[in-house]
Amino acid sequence: MATMPVVAGVDGSEESLRAVEWAACEARRHGAPLRLVSAAAMPPRMHAHGGMPQTVADELYGESVRALSEAVTRAEEVTSRLLIDTSPLAGAPALAVTVSGSGALMLVVGARGAGGFAAMLLGSVSRYAAMHATCPLVVVREETSAVHGEIVVGIGDPLDTGATLAFAFDEANLRGATLVAVHSWNRFTSAGWRPADAEHVAAEAGKSLTESLAPWRDKYPDVPVRCDVVHDHPGHVLASYTGRADLVVIGRHGSAVGGIQHALLSHAHGPVAIVPRQS
């Protein structure tokens, strides 16, 4: 049994509860405990005055406790005999939730939250965690109950994908799913650009992609693999896969969310995993 937990951030919103359902199923697959965390947002005027009356602090804590209780109920509805731990967090929600994922198997959040007074602004949490989480981050959007039998992994540089491919192959193996490796390239056409040039680029990219996947095929012989090479903007291409994949996986370099990640997170119709590069 894995000792690292699956951590899920909640705020009582329906989107965060769907993220809890996804996290609970994922914890069951990995034989891992589930840790639910919640940090209530301090009202902006309280930030400006540098203080927070005890009554407000108590109300914020109560909101977190209620959100966690509801999340436990939702997790128990989708899976049984799962070890569940809950933790109200103090401090700014984005930072607190992101830090809570340190040492976790993965951190799971919704794309948006309830917002407003005494609520965790989960939209800002997902954006911050996408840049700073030290473990894989999964951002859950919309309905996630349908099973498609595919894990999609976006490959930019085939030589720098170790952590990303390890995560994607492990997910495909656990789910009995096909792994679809997608390389997308976007080049503006010019007067000297011929169809044969595009065919050559696609062929070379496909060859490089196949070579990079070879050791992973050997390590996971039971995982069917398909390679897709597409001429279009990578973010838009990967977003199109989210409606027909169980999970779309991409890598992250450094602490910046680039154009690809931003486009994918903005237009995704299903869960997206962002895997930080191993140092």
Side-chain angles (χ1 to χ4, degrees):
M1 175 179 289
T3 56
M4 295 187 296
V6 172
V7 178
V10 301
D11 69 349
S13 67
E14 182 58 32
E15 185 145 352
S16 78
L17 291 174
R18 285 199 294 267
V20 167
E21 292 179 352
W22 193 96
C25 292
E26 189 70 4
R28 181 186 59 196
R29 289 189 192 98
H30 285 270
L34 175 65
R35 183 183 180 215
L36 304 174
V37 300
S38 181
M42 185 189 305
R45 289 186 178 181
M46 294 297 179
H47 281 293
H49 288 86
M52 183 166 55
Q54 189 59 42
T55 52
V56 176
D58 291 343
E59 178 63 24
L60 293 176
Y61 180 82
E63 288 288 340
S64 290
V65 170
R66 284 188 287 274
L68 290 169
S69 177
E70 189 173 5
V72 170
T73 300
R74 186 66 70 92
E76 291 177 339
E77 288 174 353
V78 298
T79 184
S80 60
R81 295 194 297 272
L82 187 65
L83 180 61
I84 303 176
D85 175 50
T86 62
S87 298
L89 304 176
L95 177 60
V97 172
T98 300
V99 170
S100 74
S102 178
L105 192 64
M106 65 188 70
L107 174 63
V108 184
V109 298
R112 296 180 301 274
F117 178 75
M120 185 173 71
L121 305 178
L122 207 54
S124 64
V125 170
S126 63
R127 290 192 298 272
Y128 184 87
M131 295 185 290
H132 299 288
T134 57
C135 67
L137 170 76
V138 178
V139 180
V140 177
R141 295 183 67 106
E142 302 183 12
E143 296 296 335
T144 60
S145 57
V147 176
H148 304 279
E150 287 189 349
I151 300 296
V152 172
V153 56
I155 302 296
D157 180 0
L159 300 178
D160 188 23
T161 56
T164 307
L165 284 175
F167 184 89
F169 267 92
D170 192 43
E171 285 296 314
N173 187 54
L174 284 171
R175 296 163 181 262
T178 297
L179 184 130
V180 182
V182 179
H183 175 77
S184 179
W185 55 285
N186 187 27
R187 179 176 295 182
F188 293 105
T189 58
S190 63
W193 184 257
R194 301 168 300 172
D197 296 324
E199 293 175 5
H200 174 73
V201 171
E204 288 298 313
K207 179 181 177 182
S208 179
L209 187 57
T210 299
E211 291 174 350
S212 70
L213 292 171
W216 296 98
R217 288 177 186 261
D218 293 339
K219 186 175 180 180
Y220 293 90
D222 296 329
V223 174
V225 178
R226 188 178 85 236
C227 296
D228 289 354
V229 178
V230 185
H231 181 198
D232 200 350
H233 186 279
H236 296 158
V237 168
L238 292 172
S240 71
Y241 279 87
T242 60
R244 58 182 189 269
D246 297 318
L247 182 66
V248 172
V249 183
I250 59 173
R252 189 197 81 211
H253 292 181
S255 59
V257 174
I260 296 174
Q261 293 95 327
H262 181 76
L264 176 56
L265 291 174
S266 296
H267 301 287
H269 296 286
V272 173
I274 301 176
V275 182
R277 181 175 59 178
Q278 294 174 336
S279 57

